[in-house]
Amino acid sequence: MYDAGRRSSEQRAAMIKVAVVGTNGLAQYIVNCLATQTSHQFVILSRRPSPGLSAKGWQVLQVDYSNAADLRFKLAGVDTVISTISGNPQLSLIDAAAAAHVRRFVPSEFGGPPSLRPQNDLLDQGRRAAILRLHQHEASGMRFTIFTCGVLYERFGPGGMAASQIGLHSHIAREGEYLMDFRRRRAQIPYSGNSGQPAMVCLTSAHDVARFIVAALDLPSWPREFRLRGERMSVRDIVAVAEAVQGRSFEVSAVTRSSLQDSLTYARAVGDRAREGRLHHLLVTAENRYDFVNTNLNQLVSIHPERFRDYLIRVWSSAT
């Protein structure tokens, strides 16, 4: 567990103001870590009033992403922006942050390495445009860092990512929509087209992603990309862990990159957008685009991430 009390007096003196943008589960994890583990000032930017967050004593500023002057005003004095929004609102946020002389910006990535993403990625959701815009603003002095964490454990928890208000427009937000259905003991295992081996995946809980990000605020310098993870395992091992936790075997089907591509082509032809999205996530997995061998943040901060097995036991032990 990261202990803010261990920080040196020099680090304690380097208090900064952080703006966390969005109110989804990841944003709330980040804010809670800021509030309980640091002395940093922070504000939450939200499109809508958030009385539940305000009731915790957290400062929530309502913003209009189509109003550049309002955004600049709300970002005045902010050192670091952590975004959990996407699309055009994030582009407006980037422009406003640069105009407000924000020092560094964390875009809403939190997935596989961006370098592995093809140019016309179905799952892009404006990420490429955001990175391009951030590059354009570097001349003004605003730097940016991507936090690459792989797949979130929450995809396999009760209610899926939607239970934490994460990835609601991803086609895999609900329980059992990606890779395996823990409750019904079913799984699809994507095999890599190149090696014929089960695909490899890096995984981290959203709570641990938040802890890593907040711990990184005390580091003297940030690279262009921080890579962090809780686990790295094959998709077959992910299912094996789930089977061990359940104490029962899963109904498992193996799919290849080629078969996924065929199914994807059919889903697109019949206009089944939801199935197309789910299949594309499996195809991305088969291409090992959620995998990275080395980390560079785990070694720099005192975070001991939760193991995947421990996560499954914890979240499903009280599930109905």
Side-chain angles (χ1 to χ4, degrees), residues 112-115 144-148 222-227 296:
S115 59
F144 71 93
T145 292
I146 293 163
F147 283 77
T148 295
W222 283 14
R224 176 54 46 82
E225 182 182 4
F226 270 131
R227 293 189 176 187
N296 63 348

Side-chain angles (χ1 to χ4, degrees), residues 177-213:
E177 290 188 328
Y178 172 75
L179 198 66
M180 71 175 178
D181 186 330
F182 184 90
R183 193 186 301 269
R184 295 176 177 83
R185 301 189 301 282
R186 299 172 184 163
Q188 285 184 298
I189 298 181
Y191 278 73
S192 170
N194 296 328
S195 64
Q197 297 296 316
M200 296 295 297
V201 175
C202 291
L203 308 99
T204 321
S205 75
H207 178 238
D208 282 335
V209 172
R211 294 169 66 212
F212 273 108
I213 293 171

Side-chain angles (χ1 to χ4, degrees), residues 123-251:
L123 307 180
D124 180 77
Q125 295 184 314
R127 292 184 180 92
R128 180 175 291 274
I131 298 303
L132 177 61
R133 189 70 60 90
L134 286 164
H135 276 295
Q136 293 169 347
H137 281 300
E138 282 195 309
S140 70
M142 185 173 74
R143 300 292 180 258
F144 71 93
T145 292
I146 293 163
F147 283 77
T148 295
C149 59
V151 169
L152 295 178
Y153 288 174
E154 282 72 11
R155 294 192 189 192
F156 309 106
M161 293 192 299
S164 299
Q165 298 296 299
I166 299 174
L168 295 179
H169 304 294
S170 66
H171 299 296
I172 57 163
R174 295 178 300 185
E175 179 184 321
E177 290 188 328
Y178 172 75
L179 198 66
M180 71 175 178
D181 186 330
F182 184 90
R183 193 186 301 269
R184 295 176 177 83
R185 301 189 301 282
R186 299 172 184 163
Q188 285 184 298
I189 298 181
Y191 278 73
S192 170
N194 296 328
S195 64
Q197 297 296 316
M200 296 295 297
V201 175
C202 291
L203 308 99
T204 321
S205 75
H207 178 238
D208 282 335
V209 172
R211 294 169 66 212
F212 273 108
I213 293 171
V214 171
L217 293 172
D218 287 334
L219 296 176
S221 63
W222 283 14
R224 176 54 46 82
E225 182 182 4
F226 270 131
R227 293 189 176 187
L228 61 112
R229 64 171 178 243
E231 297 265 21
R232 179 178 184 253
M233 58 179 69
S234 72
V235 288
R236 183 66 191 94
D237 287 339
I238 290 173
V239 177
V241 168
E243 289 176 323
V245 170
Q246 281 260 27
R248 300 172 69 180
S249 297
F250 280 32
E251 178 187 329

Side-chain angles (χ1 to χ4, degrees), residues 81-95:
V81 170
I82 303 171
S83 171
T84 67
I85 64 173
S86 60
N88 289 329
Q90 180 167 230
L91 294 180
S92 298
L93 178 69
I94 292 168
D95 292 341

